[in-house]
DNA sequence: GATGAATGAGTGTTCATTCAT
DNA sequence: CATGAATGAACACTCATTCAT
């Protein structure tokens, strides 16, 4: 019971620190973010942050995991809700862009953090792989819903087109991400269509 | 003559340092690149690097300009060589990917540097804007070569799909970028086609 | 109690560093004084000094404040102890010179530091202003103790004459500052005397 | 003849550099003055400045000598023009202050440079010593013009009172140095007067 | 007579990390 | 659970000086 409480408090503190860290990164960019600034932002001593995460690398990992988790919460149910391949494809596009649109504080971190020698937990890596749209595309081809195209390349192009919205939003905050998403749905509908 | 010589060796040193810097960034990533490491890599004292560029910011600018220049050398002539919109579209895709494929040391820098508060020279910024594929797409629609689609969104998607190859190559060096490029040409040919 | 202890050891370290800094300045002069040398002198890491003061500017401020505080401790009570204008005048001269004579390590710093773009705390600036001998001189004229002379100019001359002892001591350490002080008392007694 | 020309050119360059250096110091303060900035200011390469002076210390010496020479030009003739001790005393005060008033670019350097481990040339040191007002005061006492006072202390006080104008002008550029000089003449006239 | 290139020592500052409490 | 003190390594940058030309 006691240890359960402790874990709960710890988890709350960790969540609080991660949230603060994402805000700091959003404001300052990754390069100018330091543990001290994160600690100041959440009102803790710098050493308290390290106490909870052990090292900066661990903190970064936790931040990334948290961002992925937030994305999974939006993307996975949206895709699973659909039954047809083209439904799943549209859901993939719309939910990804919805996540970017509603989690703008994550954006600065997302573009900059990926480059680091970042290691995802096995579980997260697995779920990331599961979200690769190549599976949707291949399924759509298998059941004749989609036409003929190289599914690997189409998946890379699709992910690139979806992720491109991040930079766009960052540079141009008033950019209408949702309607770009709708455009993307139509563009890729046509691109994968059976002839 | 004399002043020409001086400028020449100046330019040579600058080019040497820029080249070394790109290699260091390719190996370590931007975050872990420092002037000292660049200097060590090219066999100069750190202060010599600063002597030639004045400050780190100026050096970064020079590096970015050099990378853009290398890209322009490949991309611009390739597009100008074509006369039809679909020819230019294919050339845009192929030449961009060719640049990425042949300048792999530039890749790590390219993904990471964009986020910084990087300021391009007016000339480079102008040429970057001129390379936006939206112009090609709009022209193709105007002369009836292409069908109906939102050219702004299509351009963002296209750029995203093209740039996606960078991450792919970085994570998977044996990835066949050229054939991905050919796939892209076909995918976007279909996506922009008149119905 | 606990927080009192913390503040106490903080203050002690700060005082130790300030003291060491004054010694270093006394030995090397301001121009050749660096944080690193101060840290070495007190046996701390340079970063520990910065940990306690934040920046070199803040450290300099603290040093100056400390030197002024030491001067105030001597000068202010000495003047307040006197009731007549000529008594206060003599006390001003003697106590200033006594401070210079007994705080020789402060001297090198005092001559050099004034020029920097040094900003005193409001409180210190106020007390510095309060110590301007012009008030004493004007009061002495008002109650008829002193004769007629421009009090502003006399005050500048007086301060110059008093401060001149600093350079004298620095160049000629065996110089008898006290008897110079007594001479000054007589000289200015005559200079301000009613005719 | 040829070597005479060379020497002449050299002397001109040296004078030009010294003049520029004094201006730079006046603008930036001694701490922020560097050989490079002086060189830029006069439009030469940094190495050219060192070529002419050999080292920074030598340059500083030359600057100081130049400033002293400018002071001598004003002060020495003014004193020699007078025949009585009180005339010479007044001339000492007025000419020193006139020099400070008309050579304001020298002022910043004068306050800051003196502290360094500066060595005057034998000739300059000699002339500086010759200008010590103690000689004037002692002579005035010897011939009965002045009253009884310790001439050494009076000289120190006098120099201090005169030099005090430098700081005053620096902090308060509109300060009326000339009328302060007249006040000083009267103050010290009274202070040295025979009773 | 003058220069540009290059250097090594030094500067203040930031940072993630350790540790005793 | 959390902290403040302290550290060492790294950072960008400045500087006076040297040297071949």
């Amino acid at each position: 019971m006691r240890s359960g409480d402790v874990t709960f408090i710890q988890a709350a503190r960790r969540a609080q620190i991660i949230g603060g860290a994402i805000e700091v990164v959003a404001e300052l960019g990754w390069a100018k973010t330091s543990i001290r600034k994160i600690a100041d932002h959440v009102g803790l001593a710098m050493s308290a942050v390290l106490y909870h995460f052990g090292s900066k690398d661990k903190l970064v990992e936790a931040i990334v995991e948290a961002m992925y988790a937030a994305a999974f919460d939006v993307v996975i149910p949206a895709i699973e809700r659909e039954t047809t391949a083209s439904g799943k494809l549209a859901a993939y596009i719309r939910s990804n862009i919805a996540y970017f649109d509603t989690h703008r504080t994550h954006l600065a971190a997302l573009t900059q953090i990926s480059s680091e020698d970042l290691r995802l937990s096995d579980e997260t890596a697995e779920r990331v792989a599961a979200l690769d749209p190549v599976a949707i595309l291949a399924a759509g081809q298998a059941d004749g819903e989609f036409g003929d195209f190289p599914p690997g390349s189409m998946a890379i192009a699709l992910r690139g087109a979806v992720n491109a919205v991040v930079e766009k939003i960052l540079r141009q905050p008033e950019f209408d991400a949702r309607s770009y998403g709708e455009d993307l749905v139509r563009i890729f509908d046509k691109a994968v269509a059976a002839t």
Side-chain angles (χ1 to χ4, degrees), chain A:
Chain A
M1 207 59 162
R2 189 118 49 93
S3 79
D5 284 0
V6 169
T7 302
F8 176 74
I9 290 178
Q10 274 201 348
R13 266 271 183 274
R14 283 177 60 103
Q16 179 196 8
I17 292 168
I18 289 170
I22 290 174
E23 286 167 21
V24 172
V25 173
E27 195 178 346
L28 305 179
W30 191 245
K32 297 190 176 175
T33 295
S34 69
I35 293 187
R36 173 152 262 138
K37 286 169 190 162
I38 294 170
D40 289 353
H41 186 76
V42 298
L44 286 174
M46 173 186 44
S47 41
V49 173
L50 272 147
Y51 169 77
H52 281 287
F53 291 92
S55 76
K56 194 193 187 187
D57 284 357
K58 298 270 185 59
L59 171 57
V60 171
E61 276 178 40
I63 292 170
V64 173
E65 297 274 336
M67 292 191 311
Y68 270 111
F72 293 151
D73 280 354
V74 177
V75 174
I76 292 181
I79 292 175
E80 289 184 344
R81 210 174 290 130
E82 299 294 325
T83 52
T84 64
S86 65
K88 284 178 186 294
L89 177 60
Y92 174 87
I93 295 170
R94 289 194 179 102
S95 60
N96 266 283
I97 284 176
Y99 163 70
F100 292 140
D101 198 31
T102 53
H103 293 74
R104 292 181 169 231
T105 50
H106 291 200
L107 260 42
L110 277 172
T111 55
Q112 299 175 298
I113 231 172
S114 65
S115 40
E116 315 253 334
D117 25 13
L118 153 76
R119 279 171 208 168
L120 299 176
S121 72
D122 290 352
E123 194 202 335
T124 300
E126 205 175 308
R127 296 172 84 186
V128 167
L131 273 183
D132 190 329
V134 76
I136 298 172
L137 296 171
Q141 289 183 318
D143 65 18
E145 223 185 307
F146 296 159
D148 187 35
F149 54 80
S153 295
M154 183 67 81
I156 296 170
L158 174 56
R159 286 219 309 263
V162 167
N163 293 337
V165 82
V166 172
E167 255 190 273
K168 200 76 192 167
I169 291 176
L170 284 176
R171 287 188 211 272
Q172 202 177 315
E174 76 283 6
F175 180 74
D176 184 346
R178 302 290 174 142
S179 77
Y180 172 70
E182 295 310 312
D183 288 348
L184 265 195
V185 169
R186 260 171 266 125
I187 287 169
F188 277 90
D189 254 2
K190 187 175 171 196
V192 303
T195 36

